[in-house]
Every structure is written in C-alpha cells, then in structure tokens.
Amino acid sequence: MPETPRWLVRAGRSAEARRVIQKTVGSSSDGGGDPDSARLAGGILRDIEVEVREEAESAKLTNSSEWMRGWQELLTVPKNRRALTIACLLQGLQQLCGFNSLMYFSATIFTILGFPIPTLTSLSVAATNFAFTAAALVLIDRVGRRRILLCSVPFMVVGLLLAAVGFRFFELPPAAAGNDSPSSSSRDAAVVILVSVMVYVAAYALGLGNVPWMQSELFPLSVRSLGSGVATCVNWSANFVVGLTFLPMMDALTPTWTFALYGAVCAAGWVAIWMIYPETSGLTLEEATGLLEDGWGVR
C-alpha cells in the first residue's frame, strides 16, 4: 500500500506522489495512457502542493500567532465559515435528534413499557445499530453523503412520531391495583414503540451516525484540525445537553411530546441539510473544499 500523495509531497517526494495519483486515476506512471488522466493527475498534484505550501507558511508563525490566525481564517474566510456551519450542523443534529438518550436510557424505557427482560430488548436495538452501521460503511460512498442523509432522516422522523403515538396509547395500570403489568392495549402499544425505535435506530445508523464524522473533507488543510475540533466540541456539548435533559423532559412533557420534539428537530435538520449540505462523495479533498468557494455548493 503506497503512502498518500499529501504525505509524499510534504516529504518532498513529489515525483512519487505523481505516480501514486496517476495510478489512482488510471494513468500509467511512465507518461503513457490517457492524456486526460495525466492532466487530471497533474492538476490534483498541483492542488496538493498549494495546500502543503500554505500549511508550511502557516507553520513558520509562532504558536500563539498561528493559533489566532487559524481562528481568524476559520471564521472570516467565507468558504471556511460555510464548512464550519455545515460540520457543526451535522454534529449538533447527530446528538439533538435524541439517539444517545435512547442508548443511555433504553433499559429504563423498556422497563416502563413492561418488557420482561428490558436489557435483552435493549440489546436488540444495539444489534440493529451495529448491523445498519456496517451497511452504511458499504453504502455511503455508493449512495453519497447528502443523498443518504436526505433518505434516512425522514425514516428517523417517522420512527420518532410512531413512538410518540405509541406512548400516547400506552397506559400503566393504577398503582393501587398492585399490578405493574400493562394492559393488553398497552402491550400492543409497547410493541409499536419497540418497532418504531428500531426503525429510528436503523435510519440513524445509515446516515447521521456516520456522515458527520466525515467533516474533515469540508475544510482546507490550513484549518482542518481546528474546524474539526470545533465541530466535535459541538457534538459533545449537544450530547451533554441531551443526556441531562432527557429524563426531565419525559417527566415534564410526557414521553409522547418528548419523542415528538425529537422528531421536529430531525425534520428541521432535514431541511437544513437539503439547503446547505453539498454532495462530496467521489471528490478529492481539494474539490470538496472548492464546492464552498462561492456558495453552499448544493446542486
């Protein structure tokens, strides 16, 4: 397995980088083959050399100056600001959709629903997450990042709204009855909730569970680490908020409205993705960052 062209250029081995690129795009390394492929390889190499040169120039600054310049470049350059907006949107939506609250408290939820072995029921949800995450690894480059989100998020909304409806018809027996078993109609509602949660988890694993972590391809090399760090910070901040508020929301808003609220967040997120998230599948890093040069790059 050869080294990446970026590493080779950074190491001063541009000729080797050209050969790797030519092999990737289908042009022979001896200069023969398709002239268009050779020109494409040359263009990719030039783009990489420009980025590496910019990175080297930034590294000449002192650490404090470099840090301040990085923030300035991230927040004032339009394409970097757009990349940061998209990355933070996806990372925030990944948590604010409520997925991890289900993972954290699934055993509690299934206990309330009256399942005899709530931990085993939770494992079935986790297995669904695992299976569809594995499927996403195969599909994400074939289908595309934008398309897989636009197709999967509506199923998340459907799953959450069905769960909300299920909770609407679920009733625990009165405590005075001395029986914690739910009624027959409530058992049916519990099954609906379980199925809807599995639909939601499957859709999440296909899209939002994976795509936000491809955030680095949106940023130019000079601000890639900083932009990715900020977006990841948004992810964990939203995770903290969701974990802190889920059970209080279940008490204050009822489970029906809690799940409906998460569904509304997903619906709003779908609209935002449709408006500002461009398709980056199949593009080089330079082409992906170039999409945001003069707008959001959505076609």
Side-chain angles (χ1 to χ4, degrees):
M1 180 177 178
E3 301 288 355
T4 65
R6 284 169 186 77
W7 186 90
L8 291 170
V9 169
R10 194 177 290 116
R13 296 155 61 181
S14 294
E16 293 180 53
R18 179 183 291 275
R19 286 195 291 271
V20 172
I21 296 170
Q22 288 175 331
K23 184 177 180 181
T24 302
V25 301
S27 174
S28 63
S29 58
D30 59 2
D34 185 3
D36 291 336
S37 296
R39 283 194 294 272
L40 175 60
I44 293 173
L45 180 61
R46 284 191 296 273
D47 289 339
I48 293 173
E49 288 174 337
V50 168
E51 280 209 75
V52 170
R53 188 160 53 248
E54 290 175 351
E55 183 186 46
E57 290 173 356
S58 296
K60 294 177 183 178
L61 302 174
T62 63
N63 289 337
S64 59
S65 298
E66 182 182 357
W67 187 79
M68 291 301 298
R69 176 176 172 173
W71 277 104
Q72 182 180 10
E73 186 175 352
L74 180 65
L75 298 176
T76 60
V77 176
K79 69 173 183 178
N80 296 343
R81 195 165 58 241
R82 295 185 191 105
L84 182 64
T85 300
I86 294 170
C88 290
L89 163 70
L90 295 180
Q91 291 286 12
L93 182 60
Q94 186 187 70
Q95 297 300 326
L96 295 177
C97 70
F99 174 80
N100 277 329
S101 62
L102 291 179
M103 295 296 101
Y104 296 153
F105 304 110
S106 59
T108 301
I109 294 171
F110 293 133
T111 299
I112 294 172
L113 293 175
F115 286 97
I117 310 178
T119 302
L120 185 60
T121 309
S122 299
L123 286 176
S124 68
V125 175
T128 301
N129 184 31
F130 175 81
F132 280 86
T133 298
L137 297 178
V138 177
L139 294 173
I140 197 164
D141 283 323
R142 298 180 182 179
V143 177
R145 290 97 160 100
R146 172 181 166 87
R147 185 178 299 174
I148 205 168
L149 284 177
L150 292 178
C151 291
S152 62
V153 172
F155 283 95
M156 293 174 61
V157 176
V158 169
L160 288 166
L161 294 182
L162 282 177
V165 172
F167 275 112
R168 176 67 179 82
F169 291 98
F170 181 85
E171 294 182 4
L172 284 173
N179 180 13
D180 290 335
S181 299
S183 64
S184 176
S185 61
S186 290
R187 282 196 295 270
D188 293 339
V191 172
V192 170
I193 293 169
L194 174 60
V195 172
S196 63
V197 166
M198 294 180 75
V199 169
Y200 164 78
V201 168
Y204 173 91
L206 281 174
L208 271 180
N210 289 278
V211 174
W213 296 111
M214 298 178 178
Q215 60 196 5
S216 61
E217 65 188 12
L218 297 169
F219 296 100
L221 189 61
S222 57
V223 295
R224 188 165 293 154
S225 59
L226 181 59
S228 297
V230 172
T232 302
C233 182
V234 169
N235 180 287
W236 282 104
S237 299
N239 179 286
F240 175 77
V241 170
V242 167
L244 190 67
T245 59
F246 177 69
L247 292 180
M249 285 171 59
M250 292 278 281
D251 288 334
L253 300 180
T254 73
T256 294
W257 286 107
T258 298
F259 278 76
L261 178 60
Y262 286 143
V265 170
C266 290
W270 184 91
V271 173
I273 291 167
W274 179 76
M275 292 178 64
I276 69 172
Y277 183 43
E279 182 57 72
T280 58
S281 179
L283 302 180
T284 66
L285 291 175
E286 292 75 23
E287 290 170 338
T289 58
L291 285 175
L292 303 176
E293 192 75 49
D294 298 313
W296 295 105
V298 176
R299 298 184 178 90

Coordinates of all heavy atoms in Angstrom, one line a residue, residues 89-90 92-94 96-97 149-150 153-154 156-158 160-161 208 259-277:
L89 N -23.6 21.9 12.2 CA -25.0 21.5 12.0 C -25.1 19.9 12.1 O -25.9 19.4 12.8 CB -25.5 21.9 10.6 CG -26.8 21.2 10.1 CD1 -28.0 21.7 10.9 CD2 -27.0 21.5 8.6
L90 N -24.3 19.2 11.3 CA -24.3 17.8 11.3 C -24.0 17.2 12.7 O -24.7 16.2 13.2 CB -23.4 17.2 10.2 CG -23.8 17.6 8.8 CD1 -22.8 16.9 7.8 CD2 -25.2 17.1 8.5
G92 N -24.2 18.7 15.6 CA -25.2 19.0 16.6 C -26.5 18.2 16.4 O -27.1 17.7 17.3
L93 N -26.9 18.0 15.1 CA -28.1 17.2 14.8 C -27.9 15.8 15.2 O -28.8 15.1 15.6 CB -28.4 17.3 13.3 CG -29.6 16.6 12.8 CD1 -30.9 17.1 13.5 CD2 -29.7 16.7 11.3
Q94 N -26.7 15.3 15.1 CA -26.4 13.9 15.4 C -26.8 13.6 16.9 O -27.2 12.5 17.2 CB -24.9 13.6 15.2 CG -24.6 12.1 15.4 CD -23.1 11.8 15.4 OE1 -22.4 12.2 16.3 NE2 -22.7 11.1 14.3
L96 N -28.7 16.1 19.0 CA -30.0 16.7 19.3 C -31.2 15.9 18.8 O -32.3 16.1 19.2 CB -30.1 18.1 18.8 CG -29.1 19.1 19.5 CD1 -29.2 20.5 18.9 CD2 -29.3 19.1 21.0
C97 N -30.9 14.9 17.9 CA -32.0 14.1 17.4 C -32.5 13.1 18.5 O -33.5 12.4 18.3 CB -31.6 13.3 16.2 SG -30.3 12.1 16.4
L149 N -28.3 11.0 3.8 CA -28.9 11.7 4.8 C -30.4 12.1 4.5 O -31.3 12.0 5.3 CB -28.1 13.0 5.1 CG -26.8 12.8 5.9 CD1 -26.1 14.1 6.1 CD2 -27.1 12.2 7.3
L150 N -30.5 12.6 3.2 CA -31.9 13.0 2.8 C -32.8 11.8 2.8 O -34.1 12.0 2.9 CB -31.8 13.7 1.4 CG -31.1 15.1 1.4 CD1 -31.0 15.6 0.0 CD2 -31.8 16.1 2.3
V153 N -33.0 10.4 7.1 CA -33.6 11.3 8.2 C -35.1 11.2 8.2 O -35.7 11.2 9.3 CB -33.1 12.7 8.1 CG1 -33.8 13.7 9.0 CG2 -31.6 12.8 8.4
P154 N -35.8 11.2 7.0 CA -37.3 11.1 7.1 C -37.7 9.8 7.8 O -38.8 9.8 8.5 CB -37.7 11.0 5.6 CG -36.6 11.8 4.9 CD -35.4 11.5 5.7
M156 N -36.1 8.5 10.3 CA -36.0 8.8 11.7 C -37.2 9.6 12.2 O -37.7 9.3 13.3 CB -34.7 9.7 11.9 CG -33.4 8.9 11.6 SD -32.0 10.0 11.7 CE -32.0 10.6 13.4
V157 N -37.7 10.5 11.4 CA -38.9 11.3 11.8 C -40.1 10.4 12.0 O -40.8 10.4 13.0 CB -39.2 12.4 10.8 CG1 -40.4 13.1 11.1 CG2 -38.0 13.4 10.7
V158 N -40.2 9.5 11.0 CA -41.4 8.5 11.1 C -41.3 7.7 12.3 O -42.3 7.5 13.1 CB -41.4 7.7 9.8 CG1 -42.4 6.5 10.0 CG2 -41.8 8.5 8.6
L160 N -39.7 8.3 15.2 CA -40.0 9.1 16.4 C -41.5 9.4 16.5 O -42.0 9.3 17.7 CB -39.1 10.3 16.4 CG -37.6 10.1 16.6 CD1 -36.9 11.4 16.2 CD2 -37.3 9.7 18.0
L161 N -42.1 9.7 15.5 CA -43.5 10.1 15.6 C -44.4 8.9 15.9 O -45.4 8.9 16.6 CB -44.0 10.8 14.3 CG -43.4 12.1 14.0 CD1 -44.0 12.7 12.7 CD2 -43.6 13.1 15.1
L208 N -27.0 9.7 9.9 CA -26.4 10.6 10.9 C -25.4 10.0 11.8 O -24.5 10.7 12.4 CB -27.5 11.2 11.8 CG -28.2 12.5 11.3 CD1 -29.3 12.9 12.2 CD2 -27.2 13.6 11.1
F259 N -40.7 12.6 22.4 CA -40.4 12.0 21.1 C -40.8 12.8 19.9 O -40.2 12.9 18.9 CB -40.9 10.6 21.0 CG -40.1 9.5 21.8 CD1 -40.1 9.5 23.1 CD2 -39.3 8.7 21.1 CE1 -39.4 8.5 23.8 CE2 -38.5 7.7 21.7 CZ -38.5 7.7 23.1
A260 N -42.0 13.5 20.1 CA -42.4 14.4 19.0 C -41.5 15.5 18.8 O -41.2 16.0 17.7 CB -43.8 14.9 19.3
L261 N -40.9 16.0 19.9 CA -39.9 17.1 19.9 C -38.7 16.7 19.1 O -38.1 17.4 18.3 CB -39.6 17.6 21.3 CG -38.5 18.7 21.3 CD1 -39.0 20.0 20.6 CD2 -38.2 19.1 22.8
Y262 N -38.2 15.5 19.4 CA -37.0 15.0 18.7 C -37.3 14.8 17.2 O -36.5 15.0 16.4 CB -36.6 13.6 19.3 CG -35.9 13.7 20.6 CD1 -36.1 12.8 21.6 CD2 -35.0 14.8 20.9 CE1 -35.5 12.8 22.9 CE2 -34.4 14.8 22.1 CZ -34.6 13.9 23.1 OH -34.0 14.0 24.3
G263 N -38.6 14.4 16.9 CA -39.0 14.3 15.5 C -39.0 15.6 14.8 O -38.5 15.7 13.7
A264 N -39.4 16.7 15.5 CA -39.4 18.0 14.9 C -37.9 18.5 14.7 O -37.7 19.1 13.7 CB -40.1 19.0 15.9
V265 N -37.0 18.2 15.6 CA -35.6 18.5 15.4 C -35.1 17.8 14.2 O -34.4 18.4 13.4 CB -34.8 18.1 16.7 CG1 -33.3 18.3 16.4 CG2 -35.2 19.0 17.9
C266 N -35.4 16.6 14.0 CA -34.9 15.8 12.8 C -35.5 16.4 11.5 O -34.8 16.6 10.5 CB -35.3 14.4 12.9 SG -34.4 13.4 14.2
A267 N -36.8 16.8 11.6 CA -37.4 17.4 10.4 C -36.7 18.7 10.0 O -36.4 19.0 8.9 CB -38.9 17.6 10.6
A268 N -36.4 19.6 11.1 CA -35.8 20.8 10.8 C -34.3 20.6 10.3 O -33.9 21.3 9.4 CB -35.7 21.7 12.1
G269 N -33.7 19.5 10.8 CA -32.4 19.2 10.4 C -32.4 18.8 8.9 O -31.4 19.1 8.1
W270 N -33.4 18.0 8.5 CA -33.5 17.6 7.1 C -33.6 18.8 6.2 O -32.9 18.8 5.1 CB -34.7 16.7 6.9 CG -34.9 16.1 5.5 CD1 -34.4 14.9 5.1 CD2 -35.5 16.7 4.4 NE1 -34.7 14.7 3.8 CE2 -35.4 15.8 3.3 CE3 -36.2 17.9 4.2 CZ2 -35.9 16.1 2.1 CZ3 -36.7 18.2 3.0 CH2 -36.6 17.3 1.9
V271 N -34.4 19.8 6.6 CA -34.5 21.0 5.7 C -33.1 21.7 5.6 O -32.7 22.1 4.5 CB -35.5 21.9 6.3 CG1 -35.6 23.3 5.6 CG2 -36.9 21.3 6.3
A272 N -32.4 21.8 6.7 CA -31.1 22.4 6.7 C -30.1 21.7 5.8 O -29.4 22.3 5.1 CB -30.6 22.6 8.1
I273 N -30.1 20.3 5.9 CA -29.3 19.5 5.1 C -29.6 19.7 3.6 O -28.7 19.9 2.8 CB -29.4 18.0 5.5 CG1 -28.8 17.8 6.9 CG2 -28.7 17.1 4.4 CD1 -29.2 16.4 7.4
W274 N -30.8 19.7 3.3 CA -31.3 19.9 1.9 C -30.8 21.3 1.4 O -30.4 21.4 0.2 CB -32.8 19.8 1.8 CG -33.3 20.0 0.4 CD1 -33.3 19.2 -0.6 CD2 -34.0 21.2 0.0 NE1 -33.9 19.7 -1.7 CE2 -34.3 21.0 -1.4 CE3 -34.3 22.4 0.5 CZ2 -35.0 21.9 -2.2 CZ3 -35.0 23.4 -0.2 CH2 -35.3 23.1 -1.6
M275 N -30.8 22.3 2.2 CA -30.5 23.6 1.8 C -29.0 23.9 1.7 O -28.5 24.6 0.7 CB -31.1 24.7 2.8 CG -32.6 24.7 2.7 SD -33.3 25.9 3.9 CE -32.6 27.5 3.3
I276 N -28.1 23.3 2.6 CA -26.8 23.8 2.6 C -25.7 22.7 2.6 O -24.5 23.0 2.5 CB -26.5 24.6 3.9 CG1 -26.5 23.8 5.2 CG2 -27.5 25.8 4.0 CD1 -26.1 24.5 6.4
Y277 N -26.1 21.4 2.6 CA -25.0 20.4 2.6 C -24.8 19.8 1.2 O -25.7 19.2 0.6 CB -25.4 19.3 3.6 CG -24.4 18.2 3.7 CD1 -23.0 18.5 3.8 CD2 -24.7 16.8 3.7 CE1 -22.1 17.5 3.9 CE2 -23.8 15.8 3.8 CZ -22.4 16.2 3.9 OH -21.5 15.2 4.1

